[in-house]
Amino acid sequence: MVWCDEAVVVDVVPAARLTRRWVLQRAYRSGNAWSRTSLELAGTRRAAARERVRCSGQGVLRLCGGAARWGVGVASRSQPQRARGLRTLVRGAGLLSGAWGSVYSEYRRPSPA
């Protein structure tokens, strides 16, 4: 990697990445990949079991915290709070699913019929 303070960079974000659906898919994939990577790097079966419990706990905490934040957003009619809560909830679901073996491939192409 090379860094240059004077470099001019233009980062074009495709319109498809400006949707709620894309943000939620990315949050789920991020949580799922984190759990799966953590399990893979654990080394031993015992360490993997501990990691599975840790990732599951983190997932449940995010599910609950996200649901609570979403609820606050609903009650206060705050779209940003609802969005942040839902994103946190979905990341927690990804963490939990990845901890138990589910593999989410965000960019998988449908197989031909």
Side-chain angles (χ1 to χ4, degrees), residues 27-28 30-32 34-35 38 51 53-71 81-97:
Y28 185 87
S30 177
N32 184 268
W34 181 269
S35 289
S38 297
E51 195 61 31
V53 170
R54 190 183 68 76
C55 287
S56 295
Q58 285 181 343
V60 168
L61 283 174
R62 280 192 170 86
L63 280 166
C64 295
R69 190 171 196 176
W70 178 82
Q81 288 290 0
R82 286 194 317 263
R84 288 183 186 109
L86 189 56
R87 186 185 64 205
T88 300
L89 187 151
V90 170
R91 180 168 162 79
L95 276 163
L96 197 54
S97 70

Side-chain angles (χ1 to χ4, degrees), residues 6 13 16 24 28 39-40 44 55-56 68 72 82 97 108-109:
E6 296 81 25
V13 178
L24 294 177
Y28 185 87
L39 289 172
E40 189 69 31
T44 66
C55 287
S56 295
V72 167
R82 286 194 317 263
S97 70
R108 177 182 56 220
R109 296 181 191 269

Side-chain angles (χ1 to χ4, degrees), residues 3 5 8 18 32 37 39 48-49 70 73-75 81-82 100 105:
W3 181 268
D5 284 337
V8 177
L18 300 175
N32 184 268
T37 303
L39 289 172
W70 178 82
V74 169
Q81 288 290 0
R82 286 194 317 263
W100 295 96
S105 299

